[in-house]
Amino acid sequence: MRYLFLSLILLLSGCGSYDVKNLAKSDIDLVADEFIDETRRLVRELTVKLYKRNPAELRKTPGMTAEQRLAQLLSQPGELKFIELGERQGIDAMELVFNPHFDGDRVFALIVGLGGMLRHAYGYNDELFLFDSLDAELLWTSAHNVEVLAWKLRENRRANGEPWLITSEYKGEIDNLSFERLFGKLIVLQEMMARIDSDANDRRVTKVVHTAGSVFIPLPI
């Protein structure tokens, strides 16, 4: 039945300018597609802003530019694995940002970890169709981890008291709240998509306990 349906969609693809792939999508799929696009746009924006505030991280890889880093992310579908990070993913990659023994590009570690975790939350799909499904637990957990990441960037410090990465604070002064807004948007998107999915499937979801505080939680497998 599934193959018959997909064959029908392919047959209809030449019948007009309407994007017929949307016929194979539910309302939830269409909403999820928008959420996926927006989370990825926000991660790209965050990447550029972090490198502008932390140019020394980019210089750790001679000749590297922010545009090249973005191209690296875009060129790798599915899981994000890079040799320079020891192929660490998700929260393991994000933890490198706060590891005093890590001498690599901390911005890249953050973006690979964050971007990979968000991809995981959407089942590594670029877009969803009728036969795809989401897991609200993954979405809730990813929202929690974004919240923890924002907290760690504010509160975790090097031995000399300096932040591991400059975000909202520069030389002891809060001078750029756009980072907080970006993280806030990502948190809201993940929580909202989790709520939409759980309501649509009439499922009770155990939310991540916020009192977990500064601890990243692995996404359910």
Side-chain angles (χ1 to χ4, degrees):
M1 182 64 181
R2 173 174 181 169
Y3 297 108
L4 178 62
F5 183 78
L6 292 176
S7 298
L8 178 60
I9 294 301
L10 291 173
L11 181 64
L12 291 172
S13 62
C15 296
S17 60
Y18 176 71
D19 197 345
V20 295
K21 69 179 181 180
N22 289 340
L23 293 174
K25 293 175 177 285
S26 68
D27 290 343
I28 301 300
D29 294 333
L30 292 170
V31 171
D33 288 352
E34 294 297 323
F35 277 51
I36 291 170
D37 288 345
E38 182 63 7
T39 56
R40 294 188 178 184
R41 186 193 69 77
L42 291 171
V43 170
R44 289 194 297 270
E45 183 178 348
L46 182 63
T47 303
V48 173
K49 292 176 71 66
L50 282 170
Y51 277 127
K52 284 183 177 179
R53 295 283 270 184
N54 302 271
E57 298 301 317
L58 201 57
R59 291 195 292 269
K60 291 178 178 178
T61 307
M64 184 62 70
T65 66
E67 290 73 21
Q68 288 174 316
R69 283 304 199 197
L70 288 171
Q72 282 183 284
L73 299 173
L74 288 172
S75 67
Q76 191 166 120
E79 297 181 350
L80 292 177
K81 292 182 180 180
F82 295 92
I83 293 175
E84 69 180 276
L85 300 177
E87 297 194 338
R88 291 178 176 84
Q89 303 179 65
I91 63 175
D92 291 331
M94 289 191 287
E95 289 285 13
L96 289 175
V97 177
F98 314 101
N99 185 339
H101 304 294
F102 178 63
D103 58 3
D105 184 340
R106 295 178 192 274
V107 171
F108 191 56
L110 185 153
I111 294 302
V112 167
L114 176 62
M117 180 187 69
L118 294 173
R119 289 185 182 192
H120 183 180
Y122 288 99
Y124 297 106
N125 292 301
D126 293 326
E127 56 182 322
L128 269 67
F129 294 92
L130 286 172
F131 303 105
D132 297 317
S133 61
L134 291 174
D135 186 329
E137 290 282 3
L138 292 177
L139 293 159
W140 281 117
T141 305
S142 67
H144 165 84
N145 286 342
V146 175
E147 189 173 1
V148 170
L149 176 61
W151 183 88
K152 281 179 172 285
L153 289 169
R154 290 193 306 269
E155 302 298 329
N156 281 23
R157 302 281 167 159
R158 301 174 188 264
N160 63 2
E162 294 294 320
W164 292 103
L165 288 174
I166 298 171
T167 53
S168 301
E169 176 187 330
Y170 181 65
K171 294 184 176 180
E173 298 291 331
I174 303 297
D175 68 338
N176 191 334
L177 293 177
S178 61
F179 288 95
E180 298 299 320
R181 288 193 289 271
L182 282 174
F183 285 122
K185 288 177 181 178
L186 285 170
I187 293 167
V188 169
L189 285 171
Q190 297 305 95
E191 289 187 343
M192 188 178 297
M193 193 67 243
R195 187 173 292 112
I196 291 171
D197 178 67
S198 59
D199 288 347
N201 293 286
D202 195 24
R203 288 198 300 257
R204 293 182 60 84
V205 179
T206 303
K207 298 180 184 180
V208 174
V209 179
H210 288 283
T211 53
S214 61
V215 179
F216 288 127
I217 298 177
L219 271 64
I221 297 175

